[in-house]
């Protein structure tokens, strides 16, 4: 086919010269990703972070295409020599393009409330015979749907392909770090993508990086650390996520309560969302869902007769995040002091407070017994041997296994407002503010009753 080129602010050009890829892009299932934001609610903090999972998926395809072109220089000559198997190119590129196909709206909040799993839905969408994606894949190779689904499941027999899609330094992470940095306006999420690809070498059961380029790999690790610290774990974004979680929890509670009482619930949620509330969503119904589906319902709930649901919907739509304070093992016990004050001020702590922990590691060693084991980064030595990254880099060694992020306690911003003279609630707010001052839980002013 004649090459198709997509303009892209991160990669400049995205090249498509395989008719299969172009047909997959045009499927209903892939086009749906245009309507799902990559960063969920982060645009309430970083106002230009409006990019979609569609653009990210195209980006992962492009990174994988560049990697495949590079690895062809190291093609396998004999079975088992660890070289790149050129015939795996198509599986790699298709898996890269489709890896996020099963994401729902506001992905991680959505999954926790409605008990879904985007990786499982991705596999099911690819394998479902009625879907356009499956039919396109079958037209080119009847074994392709099963192969691609196994890459997503991390069970594919070629571990090099799996590592390029899902590891501590893969095409997915490399695109989303660069893309999220660009659209959030951050400058600390950038690294030398071209150099990292140039350093890649196929090895038995994986991918390694030339020792001479260790500084470039270190830069990638630091970039990932900084993006999580400054963007992904931003406290205001987390405050909006808490509001979204609570309002969906409240909606679910009301829906189930009305079902038990056999009250008419036809107008409580739109038809496309009802299967989720009943935990019985089919693939076809799932594919009808996008960010607009959730927003449509939240707009309805804003006018609900249930005051909690209506008020939480207002806070989400009008960007009224919960405030937060960092908590530690030394200060956590003071939460028992401030919760009653929040209740006394008229807020239901079930829906207006939350303990939210957001932690990750910049780099971790491989622990095969772990539930979500992370593959380690291997550096290819001049003699052909492999050495794990942290044994070669003092910088990475210092970060290895260390968690970053924090635990925060979220509460209504009204608890920090200055009260006017004569306000009957002023003593409650004043008491709360003795414990919480300048964004910290100081806990040095015990109540008179203590």
């Amino acid at each position: 086919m004649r090459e198709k080129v997509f303009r892209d602010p991160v990669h400049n050009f995205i090249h498509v010269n395989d008719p299969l890829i172009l047909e997959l892009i045009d499927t209903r299932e892939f086009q749906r990703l245009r309507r799902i934001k990559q960063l969920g609610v982060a645009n309430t903090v970083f106002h230009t972070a409006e990019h979609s999972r569609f653009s990210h998926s195209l980006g992962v395809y492009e990174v994988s295409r560049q990697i495949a072109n590079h690895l062809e220089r190291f093609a396998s000559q004999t079975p088992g020599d660890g070289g790149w198997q050129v015939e795996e190119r198509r599986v790699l590129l298709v898996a890269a393009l489709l890896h996020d196909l099963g994401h729902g709206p506001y992905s991680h909040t959505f999954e926790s409330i409605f008990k879904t799993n985007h990786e499982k839905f991705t596999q099911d969408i690819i394998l479902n015979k009625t879907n356009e994606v499956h039919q396109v894949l079958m037209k080119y190779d009847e074994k392709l749907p099963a192969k691609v689904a196994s890459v997503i499941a991390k069970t594919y027999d070629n571990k090099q392909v799996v590592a390029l899609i899902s590891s501590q330094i893969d095409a997915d992470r490399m695109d989303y770090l660069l893309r999220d940095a660009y659209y959030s306006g951050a400058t600390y999420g950038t690294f030398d993508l071209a150099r990292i690809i140039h350093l890649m070498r196929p090895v038995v059961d994986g991918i390694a990086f030339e020792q001479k380029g260790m500084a470039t790999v270190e830069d990638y690790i630091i970039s990932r650390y900084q993006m999580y610290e400054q963007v992904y774990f931003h406290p205001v974004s987390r405050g909006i996520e808490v509001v979204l979680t609570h309002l969906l929890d409240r909606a679910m509670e009301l829906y189930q309560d009305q079902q038990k009482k056999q009250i008419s619930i036809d107008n409580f949620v739109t038809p496309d969302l009802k299967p989720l509330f009943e935990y019985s969503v089919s693939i076809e119904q799932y594919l009808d869902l996008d960010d607009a589906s959730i927003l449509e319902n939240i707009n309805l709930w804003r006018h609900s007769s249930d005051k909690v649901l209506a008020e939480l919907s207002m806070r989400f739509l009008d960007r009224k995040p919960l405030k937060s304070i960092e908590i530690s093992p030394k200060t956590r016990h003071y939460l028992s002091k401030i919760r009653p004050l929040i209740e006394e001020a008229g807020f239901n702590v079930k829906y207006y407070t939350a303990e939210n922990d957001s932690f990750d590691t910049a780099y971790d060693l491989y622990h095969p017994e772990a539930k979500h084991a992370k593959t380690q980064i291997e550096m290819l030595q001049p003699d052909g041997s492999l050495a794990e990254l942290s044994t070669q880099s003092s910088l990475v060694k210092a970060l290895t296994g260390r968690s970053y992020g924090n635990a925060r306690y979220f509460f209504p911003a009204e608890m920090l407002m200055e009260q006017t003279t004569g306000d009957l609630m002023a003593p409650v707010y004043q008491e709360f503010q003795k414990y919480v001052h300048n964004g910290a839980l100081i806990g040095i002013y015990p109540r008179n009753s203590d």
Side-chain angles (χ1 to χ4, degrees), residues 1-18:
M1 62 170 284
R2 183 178 179 181
E3 184 176 70
K4 174 85 171 180
V5 177
F6 295 82
R7 289 302 302 261
D8 185 80
V10 176
H11 303 299
N12 194 18
F13 293 107
I14 293 175
H15 302 266
V16 178
N17 45 31
D18 184 339

Side-chain angles (χ1 to χ4, degrees), residues 152-334:
I152 306 302
K154 305 178 186 64
T155 59
Y156 190 53
D157 54 8
N158 187 307
K159 302 305 179 187
Q160 293 173 346
V161 174
V162 174
L164 291 171
I165 300 298
S166 181
S167 64
Q168 290 201 75
I169 182 167
D170 57 28
D172 179 24
R173 284 169 172 80
M174 286 192 281
D175 181 80
Y176 78 59
L177 287 176
L178 293 172
R179 193 168 299 277
D180 295 349
Y182 177 88
Y183 280 102
S184 66
T187 57
Y188 27 66
T190 58
F191 57 90
D192 193 342
L193 173 64
R195 176 68 172 160
I196 283 186
I197 293 175
H198 179 74
L199 295 168
M200 285 183 169
R201 297 292 181 270
V203 295
V204 175
D205 288 337
I207 298 293
F209 299 83
E210 279 202 70
Q211 177 74 15
K212 66 181 181 181
M214 188 170 66
T216 306
V217 178
E218 289 176 331
D219 187 40
Y220 163 84
I221 297 294
I222 296 300
S223 294
R224 184 173 185 272
Y225 165 79
Q226 291 173 324
M227 283 296 288
Y228 272 85
E229 279 277 277
Q230 303 298 323
V231 177
Y232 303 137
F233 290 166
H234 195 287
V236 176
S237 179
R238 286 160 63 186
I240 289 288
E241 284 183 359
V242 169
V243 172
L244 177 59
T245 299
H246 282 341
L247 78 87
L248 290 175
D249 273 333
R250 181 61 174 171
M252 178 69 77
E253 183 180 84
L254 292 171
Y255 185 90
Q256 293 175 346
D257 184 56
Q258 290 181 13
Q259 275 190 317
K260 290 177 184 177
K261 296 177 180 177
Q262 296 184 333
I263 301 172
S264 175
I265 52 179
D266 290 340
N267 297 324
F268 185 76
V269 295
T270 55
D272 56 347
L273 216 61
K274 188 176 292 187
L276 283 170
F277 277 70
E278 297 175 354
Y279 299 118
S280 61
V281 62
S282 67
I283 293 177
E284 181 67 23
Q285 291 167 331
Y286 189 84
L287 288 169
D288 287 336
L289 300 171
D290 52 30
D291 287 358
S293 304
I294 299 294
L295 287 172
E296 180 182 7
N297 282 271
I298 295 175
N299 267 309
L300 291 173
W301 299 335
R302 183 176 192 155
H303 306 288
S304 171
S305 58
D306 182 82
K307 291 183 179 180
V308 172
L309 182 62
E311 213 269 341
L312 288 173
S313 298
M314 177 276 293
R315 285 177 183 262
F316 180 77
L317 294 170
D318 297 348
R319 195 191 179 276
K320 308 283 186 191
L322 298 177
K323 289 288 187 180
S324 67
I325 46 176
E326 187 171 349
I327 51 179
S328 68
K330 291 183 178 180
T331 60
R332 187 180 294 274
H333 67 282
Y334 286 111

Side-chain angles (χ1 to χ4, degrees), residues 25 68 72 131 182-183 245 247 296 311 325 335 340 353 357-359 365 395 405 411 437 443 447:
I25 291 171
E72 286 178 5
N131 290 331
Y182 177 88
Y183 280 102
T245 299
L247 78 87
E296 180 182 7
E311 213 269 341
I325 46 176
L335 297 181
T353 69
D357 297 350
S358 290
F359 291 98
L365 298 178
L395 177 60
F411 56 87
H437 185 65
R447 299 187 73 182

